[in-house]
């Protein structure tokens, strides 16, 4: 699971400005400002947990890197457990997340943001369901890419997501193109093209799956901007709503894509790996909640870039994925465009 699902997709919670009550003195015609003191929180109300940035950023990076390398290890035929069933594994992750978010909702304050959302049946059908379907497609296709492509190459291709977002926004006239945005599109596109050109073990099927996953993910993010405008959802609250939808969709797809083979091959993985793998994936979303509350946009962007570099390095060490010099050059160009895109707010 990639909710992967990355931190740049999250919307930080913002507090509403406090208004002052103003009354008019009818006798003198003067305005009297009445200030209302902030109410004190009840002593029995649980306090919000905060983790310093110097601690949570490394935790988030470790979880993100671990999820991807762990999934690759499970899928890999030669250096891993030879369990090539991405739809089944993604479905298991989503079931685990759906149950875990509901446990957290009853035992912690991490899912309190769901209380502020008026989730009607009509809103669920028009917003949550289609966005969840795109999310499901993105997860499945991205995981299928890991069956034939290296982790390093997939990570380089993921840099194209902002370009896909911009192109979809241009097509639907959500955003108007300008010189800066076109320069970003050119930078990232050139870098990804160079990375693809220099890939030693290029597989057409995996490349198509990853490109389709990027389109699904970009479409999902654009639809979130359109359909959920003004609605505040952090990663845990989003998972609370989307995980059950995606789990059902994926479960329906398992018989058509993978049949009963995943169940016959479960002995290769075992319960310990299944639960720790899903646990690390869920821990990534929990870490993301704390991350968005402690860092500025620039810090989070730089942390994401460093995480990608460490992930590519880790994949080379763990799986021996070769990287050509032209790929390093191309990915550097893409990262430059990505940093500009994030620090300028995509405008």
């Amino acid at each position: 699971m990639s909710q992967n699902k990355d931190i740049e997709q999250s919307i930080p919670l913002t507090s509403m400005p406090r208004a002052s009550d103003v009354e008019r003195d009818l006798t003198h015609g003067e305005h009297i400002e009445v200030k209302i003191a902030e109410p004190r929180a009840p002593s029995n109300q649980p306090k919000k947990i905060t983790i310093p940035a110097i601690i949570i950023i490394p935790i988030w990076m470790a979880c993100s890197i671990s999820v991807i390398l762990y999934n690759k290890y499970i899928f890999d035929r030669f250096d891993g457990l030879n369990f090539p069933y991405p739809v089944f594994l993604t479905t298991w992750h989503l079931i685990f997340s759906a149950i875990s978010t509901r446990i957290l909702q009853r035992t912690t304050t991490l899912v309190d943001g769901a209380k502020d959302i008026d989730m009607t049946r009509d809103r669920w059908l028009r917003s949550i369901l289609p966005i969840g379907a795109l999310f499901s497609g993105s997860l499945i296709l991205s995981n299928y890419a890991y069956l034939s492509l290296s982790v390093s190459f997939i990570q380089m291709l993921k840099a194209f997501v902002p370009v896909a977002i911009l192109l979809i926004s241009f097509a639907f006239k959500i955003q108007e193109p300008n010189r800066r945005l076109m320069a970003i599109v050119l930078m990232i596109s050139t870098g990804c093209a160079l990375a693809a050109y220099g890939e030693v073990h290029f597989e057409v099927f995996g490349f198509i799956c990853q490109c389709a996953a990027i389109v699904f993910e970009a479409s999902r993010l654009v639809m979130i901007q359109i359909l959920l405008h003004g609605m505040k959802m952090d990663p845990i609250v989003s998972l609370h709503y989307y995980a059950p939808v995606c789990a059902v969709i994926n479960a329906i797809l398992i018989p058509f894509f993978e049949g009963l083979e995943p169940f016959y091959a479960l002995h290769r993985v075992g319960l310990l790996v299944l639960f720790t793998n899903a646990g690390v994936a869920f821990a990534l979303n929990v870490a993301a909640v704390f991350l968005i509350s402690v860092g500025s946009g620039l810090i989070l962007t730089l942390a994401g870039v460093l995480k990608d570099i460490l992930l590519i390095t880790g994949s080379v060490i763990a799986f021996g994925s070769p990287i050509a010099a032209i790929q390093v050059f191309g990915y550097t160009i893409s990262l430059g465009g990505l940093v500009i895109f994030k620090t300028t707010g995509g405008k």
Side-chain angles (χ1 to χ4, degrees):
M1 176 174 159
S2 63
Q3 34 198 269
N4 235 104
K5 324 25 157 217
D6 286 340
I7 193 59
E8 57 267 14
Q9 303 164 8
S10 305
I11 305 176
L13 294 175
T14 54
S15 60
M16 294 297 292
R18 183 169 63 90
S20 300
D21 292 338
V22 177
E23 296 180 356
R24 177 178 294 273
D25 184 356
L26 298 179
T27 306
H28 301 89
E30 297 176 352
H31 288 82
I32 303 175
E33 183 178 347
V34 180
K35 295 183 179 180
I36 302 178
E38 294 286 351
R40 292 185 177 181
S43 57
N44 59 348
Q45 182 178 348
K47 296 181 179 180
K48 292 285 185 180
I49 302 174
T50 57
I51 302 178
I54 195 173
I55 296 177
I56 192 59
I57 289 178
I59 292 176
W60 170 76
M61 292 171 61
C63 289
S64 181
I65 294 171
S66 299
V67 167
I68 295 175
L69 294 182
Y70 205 166
N71 286 352
K72 178 64 175 178
Y73 171 71
I74 293 174
F75 295 145
D76 198 271
R77 179 177 302 176
F78 303 105
D79 301 317
L81 299 178
N82 189 22
F83 189 80
Y85 306 109
V87 181
F88 176 87
L89 190 65
T90 304
T91 306
W92 163 240
H93 282 185
L94 292 166
I95 293 173
F96 186 93
S97 296
I99 296 173
S100 298
T101 53
R102 278 146 184 81
I103 293 175
L104 289 181
Q105 187 180 32
R106 288 164 175 77
T107 58
T108 70
T109 60
L110 290 175
V111 200
D112 281 359
K115 300 176 182 178
D116 301 325
I117 298 175
D118 182 20
M119 188 56 64
T120 61
R121 183 172 180 273
D122 182 61
R123 173 175 285 176
W124 188 91
L125 289 173
R126 290 192 306 172
S127 303
I128 301 300
L129 183 59
I131 294 175
L134 290 173
F135 189 28
S136 181
S138 172
L139 291 173
I140 291 174
L141 289 167
S142 180
N143 280 326
Y144 260 109
Y146 284 104
L147 297 181
S148 54
L149 298 180
S150 66
V151 173
S152 56
F153 184 40
I154 291 175
Q155 207 61 30
M156 293 178 187
L157 292 178
K158 285 182 179 180
F160 195 76
V161 171
V163 173
I165 293 174
L166 289 175
L167 294 178
I168 293 174
S169 299
F170 295 160
F172 288 92
K173 297 182 179 180
I174 301 172
Q175 194 166 4
E176 293 296 327
N178 55 52
R179 291 183 179 180
R180 176 181 293 175
L181 291 179
M182 296 311 296
I184 292 173
V185 169
L186 181 61
M187 282 184 66
I188 297 178
S189 301
T190 302
C192 290
L194 290 174
Y197 178 78
E199 177 63 16
V200 177
H201 301 296
F202 184 88
E203 293 284 346
V204 176
F205 175 75
F207 180 75
I208 292 175
C209 284
Q210 184 57 41
C211 289
I214 290 173
V215 173
F216 271 75
E217 179 64 12
S219 301
R220 180 182 77 91
L221 296 176
V222 172
M223 284 192 68
I224 286 176
Q225 295 178 9
I226 298 173
L227 299 179
L228 301 182
H229 179 71
M231 190 178 298
K232 310 300 182 182
M233 283 191 183
D234 60 42
I236 289 292
V237 174
S238 297
L239 206 59
H240 175 78
Y241 286 109
Y242 293 124
V245 178
C246 296
V248 172
I249 293 174
N250 286 16
I252 294 173
L253 295 177
I254 288 178
F256 300 97
F257 284 86
E258 298 171 354
L260 296 176
E261 290 299 320
F263 301 94
Y264 296 145
L266 278 176
H267 65 278
R268 300 180 203 161
V269 182
L271 290 177
L272 178 62
V273 172
L274 282 177
F275 275 95
T276 54
N277 180 244
V280 172
F282 184 70
L284 173 61
N285 289 280
V286 176
V289 174
F290 293 103
L291 181 67
I292 61 178
S293 63
V294 299
S296 64
L298 178 59
I299 292 176
L300 298 184
T301 299
L302 294 178
V305 170
L306 178 58
K307 181 264 297 182
D308 290 342
I309 294 174
L310 292 175
L311 176 58
I312 292 174
T313 305
S315 69
V316 172
I317 296 174
F319 301 102
S321 307
I323 298 179
I326 191 173
Q327 287 185 291
V328 176
F329 177 68
Y331 190 54
T332 302
I333 296 175
S334 295
L335 286 181
L338 185 63
V339 170
I340 295 174
F341 176 79
K342 294 298 180 182
T343 53
T344 58
K347 298 180 180 180

